Amino acid sequence: MFAIAPLQDRFGRAIRYLRLSVTDRCDLRCNYCLPKGFNGYEEPANWLSFDEMTRLVGIFAQAGVSRVRLTGGEPLLRHNLPELAARISALPGVEDLSLSTNATQLVKHAVALKAAGVKRINVSLDSLDKGCINTITGRDSFDAIMAGIMAGKAAGFDPIKLNMVAMRGVNEHEIRRMVAFCLENDFILRLIEAMPMGSTGRNAQYLDLNPVREQLLAEFGLIPEVAELGGGPARYWQTADGSGRVGFITPISQHFCATCNRVRLAVDGTLYMCLGQEEKFEFAPLLRGGASDAEILAALKFAIELKPERHEFKEQPGKIIRFMSQTGG
């Protein structure tokens, strides 16, 4: 029996979207995300089990959350992830299950994930230049990423969104090429402004995407997209014939906090209300302490009340010291 009133924070925003981190570990070291040599990972004993995740997501769904995205770290490093995906996709109320990945492991898992109910994938791809990708990710990863993307396409994921963190002096010269590549291959490109999360995020070469957008609109004849694409923060533009789309995620230059509909659950059961603030609530003690579903649902409603009005990335860029992978992407 679903709750009558959906989750709503004190600013009137309905919370419909949960980003579920299944691990904080990653096989890459993207230089805007994790520093080289980082080893401050959560102990596996503190990870939520699949049973605990499924139970908690079911309570979220009972409260009106209909979209779930599996994230990390790199979620495909979590053993037997398709099993968890199948369990979550079968939960009453979950209408859309998606995955964020760096695609290095996707060749091995694409078919199983699709069969398990994952409908859409987002892949991090910051360049089409092998040397640039290998520099950004800290390893020889380009071929594995590209193979994974194509395996996802062959498996039938639709849409496939490629996430490009646009950085001044690093890959900004490749944006036009990336747009053309995505239009040619029926992918959706999402350009993202770097966020000052942790020391690595603050050291990223921030690029304001508003001038970039105006250039692309003129060059590719893009027009505003009306339809919603995934319920996330991107604002989309499409080609005149509707065959291609480009999204822009601008948390710094043009934030979207007023319409934020999401929260993030870390692998240890900590619920973060905002990427750019510290408000959080720990669910592991309830899950492991014998709390009933009704008690957890009450705690969830309390936690949502902690969600702040907006982040302060621009005003206080040094505020958040945790890295993105620790929050859940």
Side-chain angles (χ1 to χ4, degrees), residues 53 61 77 134 209 229 247 290-291:
M53 287 182 177
L77 295 183
N134 294 347
L209 285 179
L229 294 175

Side-chain angles (χ1 to χ4, degrees), residues 1-6 57-65 91-95 297:
M1 186 67 143
F2 292 126
I4 296 174
V57 173
I59 294 170
F60 270 87
Q62 180 184 345
V65 171
L91 289 171
V94 174
E95 299 173 358
L297 178 59

Side-chain angles (χ1 to χ4, degrees), residues 177-248:
R177 182 184 175 198
M178 187 70 81
V179 172
F181 171 77
C182 288
L183 294 179
E184 179 182 346
N185 288 278
D186 198 27
F187 301 140
I188 295 175
L189 175 64
R190 305 202 311 170
L191 297 169
I192 304 172
E193 291 178 344
M195 289 175 277
M197 292 195 64
S199 57
T200 49
R202 288 191 290 276
N203 291 332
Q205 301 302 307
Y206 168 74
L207 178 66
D208 184 339
L209 285 179
N210 287 287
V212 173
R213 181 179 60 235
E214 295 308 311
Q215 294 168 8
L216 294 179
L217 297 189
E219 182 169 355
F220 290 93
L222 302 176
I223 59 177
E225 166 70 72
V226 176
E228 181 192 56
L229 294 175
R235 299 177 176 98
Y236 290 95
W237 274 256
Q238 66 179 16
T239 55
D241 63 2
S243 63
R245 292 168 177 82
V246 180
F248 299 84

Side-chain angles (χ1 to χ4, degrees), residues 191-196 206 209 233 235 248-257 275 310-311 313-314:
L191 297 169
I192 304 172
E193 291 178 344
M195 289 175 277
Y206 168 74
L209 285 179
R235 299 177 176 98
F248 299 84
I249 299 179
T250 54
I252 310 301
S253 67
Q254 192 179 16
H255 72 76
F256 34 81
C257 301
L275 277 177
R310 58 173 298 239
H311 65 66
F313 283 141
K314 208 167 186 177

Side-chain angles (χ1 to χ4, degrees), residues 22-33:
V22 298
T23 179
D24 59 347
R25 284 161 167 73
C26 189
D27 54 345
L28 302 182
R29 287 293 180 276
C30 293
N31 52 27
Y32 54 79
C33 184

Side-chain angles (χ1 to χ4, degrees), residues 49 121 151 252 306:
S49 68
I121 59 173
I252 310 301
L306 302 176

